[in-house]
Amino acid sequence: DFYKNLSDDPVDDADEEDDSSFVKSIFRLSDETGTMEVNLVSEGNLQRSMLDSNDVFIVDTGKEVFVWIGSGASEAEKKNAMTYAHNYLMKTKHPLVPVTCLKQGDENNAFLSVF
């Protein structure tokens, strides 16, 4: 009896966001000025040369976020990297995407394919 009331029509996915409009972005986390700051480096066409080994970077593909820790990043940058990535994600329309933390030199193929 229950199943008779269910429709065979496809479910309307209009409420789901269209990921094709998302623009990849990269942010720098740095305490070089004496205070921890997060600044947008670039959107769209990301280049690996944008990464600086003295800082931490948050790379957002829309489907995954990478936290890249440069070999010369300060202790404070390293300790705060995941917190800043989490806070950033909570302000986006995709707060539950996976977050992968990578040290410079230990990059995986998924991260390298972003560039």
Side-chain angles (χ1 to χ4, degrees):
D1 211 24
F2 171 78
Y3 292 105
K4 289 179 187 174
N5 293 323
L6 296 178
S7 170
D8 287 332
D9 296 332
V11 177
D12 182 17
D13 291 336
D15 293 340
E16 292 186 19
E17 184 181 342
D18 181 14
D19 287 336
S20 63
S21 64
F22 184 82
V23 178
K24 295 185 295 186
S25 53
I26 185 169
F27 298 85
R28 177 192 305 256
L29 174 63
S30 178
D31 60 1
E32 186 177 34
T33 63
T35 58
M36 197 68 69
E37 296 179 349
V38 178
N39 295 302
L40 178 66
V41 174
S42 183
E43 290 182 314
N45 186 18
L46 307 183
Q47 303 293 322
R48 190 140 184 235
S49 60
M50 295 172 179
L51 301 174
D52 177 350
S53 62
N54 293 315
D55 292 314
V56 168
F57 289 83
I58 299 169
V59 180
D60 187 358
T61 69
K63 296 193 183 300
E64 185 170 6
V65 166
F66 296 96
V67 176
W68 184 85
I69 300 176
S71 59
S74 72
E75 284 303 311
E77 290 168 348
K78 292 175 188 178
K79 286 180 183 176
N80 288 293
M82 294 300 284
T83 301
Y84 275 85
H86 172 74
N87 291 340
Y88 160 75
L89 271 175
M90 297 315 297
K91 297 174 189 169
T92 69
K93 292 185 178 184
H94 55 279
L96 300 176
V97 299
V99 178
T100 303
C101 189
L102 301 162
K103 291 182 180 177
Q104 184 176 3
D106 292 335
E107 296 89 350
N108 62 21
N109 288 337
F111 177 77
L112 296 174
S113 70
V114 174
F115 301 97

